[in-house]
Amino acid sequence: MQRIYLSPAVLACILLVLTALAAGAENDDMAEQRQAMLEAVRESVRQSEDYTGYSELSDNVMLAMGTVPRHEFVAPVHRDLAYRNTPLPIESGQTISQPLIVALMTELLQPQPGDVILEVGTGSGYQAAVLAELVKHVYSIEIIEELATSAAQTLQRLNYDNVTVRAGDGYAGWPEHAPFDGIIVTAAAEHLPLPLLQQLKPGGKLVIPVGEHDGYQELMLVEVDENGDVSRESVLPVRFVPLTGDR
Ligand code: SAM
């Protein structure tokens, strides 16, 4: 029998090619699953039209949802479920929101390419990444330090250079970077946080779940007009983890 000897350098090359092929196959699979997720989101948007008034979401929001690799923001153990249209657990007893809710909250903000947005509740960093596809800069605050650190690392690894994350209580907003074109709060508040209203530009939008912590809340779209008058609209019953912090 003839033996073939391969030098370590050749073996290393073969290994590299095989790894690249496997990664390529996984990426194709994830891209396919992401498309299926978009279909599920479209269907859920149609089903909730009576509440939200939306029969479909903007192309740019759907494009952002179709671009961000949600599987990179979930725990390895949940990777197979990353593109289901459901919330999933993340570290520290928190959750990554349902794709429908991420897409709808993004739509409600009406993000524009030059916008600067504040997010309260970074969690995994997924919502920040979706926004980062659409706006100039996203500032995001997370009250749990470990989550802030891991989300910042994920966003950096995926080259989301237009997202800045810090640990802290987002109830107070981020005055150093205010005023914002839009603010999105991804945890349930019992009332509208005054500091966040004060950090909105005239004409800016605040998207926030408001209500009791142990039940359903109302997803609210709050707008502050040029005269400082505040209008609020209830969009959909939702269930979020609570906005925590000492108050
Ligand atoms: N946007 C996240 C994502 O895309 O993964 C999901 C956020 S999760 C539903 C809510 C997050 O809000 C949790 O990570 C929680 O720790 C955080 N949170 C709760 N109260 C907060 C506060 N006062 N300031 C900042 N973050 C807060």
Side-chain angles (χ1 to χ4, degrees):
M1 193 171 64
Q2 196 181 3
R3 292 189 178 205
I4 301 172
Y5 289 99
L6 299 173
S7 71
V10 171
L11 277 174
C13 279
I14 292 173
L15 202 63
L16 266 181
V17 169
L18 289 176
T19 310
L21 285 174
E26 194 200 37
N27 282 343
D28 288 351
D29 181 40
M30 292 298 174
E32 223 170 83
Q33 290 188 38
R34 200 151 52 243
Q35 287 310 308
M37 178 191 82
L38 291 188
E39 262 324 299
V41 168
R42 281 195 191 95
E43 183 53 31
S44 310
V45 168
R46 282 193 286 270
Q47 284 171 1
S48 46
E49 183 182 358
D50 286 351
Y51 285 107
T52 65
Y54 287 98
S55 60
E56 59 184 359
L57 303 183
S58 324
D59 289 347
N60 61 349
V61 171
M62 293 305 280
L63 190 62
M65 294 291 294
T67 303
V68 178
R70 193 172 189 252
H71 63 279
E72 299 284 358
F73 293 87
V74 302
V77 66
H78 293 128
R79 225 172 150 89
D80 288 352
L81 306 175
Y83 292 105
R84 299 252 177 105
N85 186 20
T86 55
L88 288 171
I90 56 173
E91 293 159 51
S92 310
Q94 300 303 314
T95 52
I96 176 172
S97 305
Q98 181 188 4
L100 165 70
I101 298 298
V102 173
L104 182 62
M105 290 177 84
T106 306
E107 179 79 34
L108 290 168
L109 275 181
Q110 298 278 297
Q112 304 298 314
D115 281 359
V116 176
I117 301 290
L118 173 68
E119 179 192 28
V120 175
T122 319
S124 66
Y126 176 68
Q127 171 76 76
V130 171
L131 286 166
E133 294 283 341
L134 296 162
V135 303
K136 185 167 147 208
H137 203 95
V138 181
Y139 291 94
S140 187
I141 310 177
E142 169 57 52
I143 204 163
I144 300 175
E145 191 148 1
E146 304 81 71
L147 282 179
T149 304
S150 68
Q153 284 167 351
T154 305
L155 289 160
Q156 197 177 25
R157 179 166 52 79
L158 297 173
N159 297 322
Y160 283 105
D161 299 331
N162 60 339
V163 182
T164 310
V165 178
R166 80 163 167 85
D169 185 351
Y171 184 93
W174 198 332
E176 295 82 353
H177 297 292
F180 300 101
D181 297 285
I183 301 180
I184 184 168
V185 181
T186 62
E190 288 180 311
H191 58 264
L192 289 182
L194 188 57
L196 298 185
L197 288 174
Q198 290 168 334
Q199 288 174 37
L200 270 181
K201 277 188 190 166
K205 294 178 171 52
L206 166 65
V207 177
I208 180 170
V210 182
E212 298 296 321
H213 282 168
D214 52 1
Y216 282 87
Q217 304 96 30
E218 284 295 323
L219 182 60
M220 312 275 299
L221 172 61
V222 182
E223 294 184 67
V224 179
D225 72 13
E226 311 289 329
N227 302 319
D229 292 330
V230 178
S231 65
R232 61 185 82 184
E233 183 193 330
S234 185
V235 180
L236 190 71
V238 286
R239 193 159 193 166
F240 272 83
V241 295
L243 188 73
T244 56
D246 297 330
R247 282 175 265 292

